[in-house]
Amino acid sequence: MNENKMMAVIEAVLFAMGESVELSRLNHILEVSVQEIRTVIAQMNENYKKEYRGIHIVEFEDAVQLCTKPELYEYLIKVAKAPRKYVLSDTLLETLSIIAYKQPVTRIEIEKIRGVSSEHAINKLLELNLIQELGRLDAPGRPLLFGTTEEFLRTFGVNSIIDLPIIKPEQIEDFRKQAEEEASSKSKLKVEI
């Protein structure tokens, strides 16, 4: 299959699906290596850029999706209903951060790190499709394991969990001190009441 036909097939599949498609599925359809598919997709994105097209292909770990270019969003909202915006509270962000960096992780492990119940935060993150159940831990009680979703990657503009910022040891120490100060100020408040 020549490169132009591969581009046409990839574009047609991605357009018709409307969501991400695993590279392995494209590999099965096109009967070429995943590396060749990645090369063709890179060329497609280059063509879209040269022709100043309104679309581009975004890669998420081992899947790709045809998307509108972010700089054209303002025009889309004039004709389409604006997508639901949500604000992540500090609690949700803290819980999501733990899951992103520690995944796969259980609710008990999250609560051990946070020091408080995380059931509500986990349920809300599941509802927002930022995390998902990955299975169960092979341990007594078989607790659920949680990890991030493709929607998490899309929302935070990263292609893979590997692209998350690395936390420096001195930052971890600062966070620990802040948490200890918060905990001691809360316990003082309880004693005074």
Side-chain angles (χ1 to χ4, degrees):
M1 183 179 298
N2 69 35
E3 190 175 276
N4 287 334
K5 177 129 186 193
M6 280 198 293
M7 288 181 183
V9 170
I10 291 170
E11 189 173 62
V13 168
L14 295 180
F15 177 77
M17 294 301 292
E19 57 188 29
S20 68
V21 176
E22 294 83 14
L23 289 170
S24 60
R25 287 178 71 191
L26 291 174
N27 166 265
H28 178 73
I29 294 166
L30 297 169
E31 298 176 347
V32 297
S33 73
V34 170
Q35 187 53 49
E36 286 178 80
I37 293 169
R38 281 191 163 115
T39 302
V40 169
I41 288 172
Q43 184 59 51
M44 290 172 73
N45 273 330
E46 194 57 39
N47 293 348
Y48 293 152
K49 199 179 281 185
K50 284 180 190 172
E51 298 167 8
Y52 196 69
R53 303 273 301 273
I55 55 174
H56 66 138
I57 300 174
V58 178
E59 189 168 339
F60 304 106
E61 291 185 339
D62 292 324
V64 291
Q65 183 173 359
L66 189 64
C67 296
T68 305
K69 288 184 177 173
E71 61 266 24
L72 301 175
Y73 179 76
E74 66 180 283
Y75 301 102
L76 288 177
I77 61 173
K78 291 179 181 179
V79 295
K81 187 176 181 180
R84 185 180 77 170
K85 293 236 179 197
Y86 48 85
V87 176
L88 296 177
S89 67
D90 290 344
T91 300
L92 292 180
L93 276 174
E94 181 180 275
T95 306
L96 184 58
S97 297
I98 292 167
I99 294 168
Y101 282 97
K102 296 282 189 182
Q103 65 184 302
V105 63
T106 65
R107 182 178 56 83
I108 302 293
E109 292 170 313
I110 296 165
E111 290 174 351
K112 187 175 181 182
I113 294 168
R114 290 193 61 232
V116 295
S117 174
S118 298
E119 188 171 354
H120 173 73
I122 289 170
N123 288 337
K124 188 67 177 172
L125 292 169
L126 284 166
E127 181 184 318
L128 295 171
N129 193 32
L130 294 173
I131 65 168
Q132 64 186 340
E133 295 176 3
L134 298 177
R136 293 190 174 270
L137 184 64
D138 190 18
R142 306 220 354 107
L144 286 169
L145 291 166
F146 297 98
T148 55
T149 62
E150 192 176 278
E151 183 63 27
F152 166 83
L153 298 175
R154 189 177 296 109
T155 300
F156 289 91
V158 293
N159 295 334
S160 169
I161 295 302
I162 298 166
D163 297 335
L164 289 174
I166 297 170
I167 301 175
K168 298 175 186 159
E170 56 271 11
Q171 288 175 307
I172 293 173
E173 184 59 26
D174 288 344
F175 294 149
R176 187 188 62 74
K177 286 178 184 175
Q178 288 174 0
E180 286 174 355
E181 288 171 9
E182 260 185 56
S184 74
S185 68
K186 285 180 183 177
S187 64
K188 284 180 186 176
L189 182 62
K190 286 180 184 176
V191 171
E192 291 173 5
I193 294 175

